[in-house]
Amino acid sequence: MEHLQRAVPVLFALDVRKSVTFYQEKFGFDKQGWVDDHYAVIGRDQIELHIAKCSDKIFPENTSCYIHVTDVDGLYAELKKTGVVHPNGPLGNKPWGLREFSALDGEGNLLRFGQKL
């Protein structure tokens, strides 16, 4: 029997509402579940992210998540225009069999986007 169904990343933010706006404007997130000053549930396409309030920037600056995508080249072009692509994370083929790139949100959380080669 398979028990595990899906995983949802929980990223940290000093200002949850500001972070939600950043995801809407820079990453194109267009779905909202719960949003208040302490917690948010947002989404785009088939993924969901949770954002939790924290009081120390060390948490978001040391947190990341990996998101599997289709058309990684198209997403890279889209996000490059919004300025969120990490300067050390350009699009490229990796030896572990993925074509991927990295981006940073406004709080410092690292998001890695990849597609199987």
Side-chain angles (χ1 to χ4, degrees), residues 3-4 9 12 14 30 36 52 54 62 70 76 82 87-89 103 113:
H3 295 281
L4 306 179
F12 294 103
L14 297 175
D30 57 355
D36 68 16
C54 68
N62 289 284
T70 58
Y76 179 76
T82 68
N88 296 328
F113 299 93

Side-chain angles (χ1 to χ4, degrees), residues 28-91:
F29 276 63
D30 57 355
K31 297 174 184 160
Q32 271 189 10
W34 180 261
V35 176
D36 68 16
D37 291 338
H38 301 282
Y39 205 84
V41 178
I42 59 174
R44 175 181 170 172
D45 303 328
Q46 300 301 311
I47 71 144
E48 178 180 304
L49 291 178
H50 292 200
I51 301 170
K53 178 149 180 73
C54 68
S55 59
D56 191 331
K57 194 145 178 76
I58 194 168
F59 296 108
E61 290 179 346
N62 289 284
T63 303
S64 68
C65 73
Y66 199 98
I67 302 170
H68 292 271
V69 303
T70 58
D71 187 20
V72 71
D73 291 84
L75 182 63
Y76 179 76
E78 176 189 327
L79 296 184
K80 190 148 176 72
K81 289 178 188 175
T82 68
V84 296
V85 172
H86 192 290
N88 296 328
L91 183 64

Side-chain angles (χ1 to χ4, degrees), residues 98-111:
L98 293 164
R99 182 165 175 76
E100 66 183 35
F101 71 94
S102 299
L104 287 173
D105 73 8
E107 299 279 350
N109 291 290
L110 180 72
L111 287 83

Side-chain angles (χ1 to χ4, degrees), residues 2-45:
E2 294 182 10
H3 295 281
L4 306 179
Q5 298 297 310
R6 67 184 178 126
V8 177
V10 179
L11 302 177
F12 294 103
L14 297 175
D15 185 327
V16 171
R17 291 183 191 274
K18 183 178 175 184
S19 189
V20 168
T21 300
F22 188 91
Y23 274 87
Q24 290 169 333
E25 293 175 355
K26 301 291 187 173
F27 286 99
F29 276 63
D30 57 355
K31 297 174 184 160
Q32 271 189 10
W34 180 261
V35 176
D36 68 16
D37 291 338
H38 301 282
Y39 205 84
V41 178
I42 59 174
R44 175 181 170 172
D45 303 328

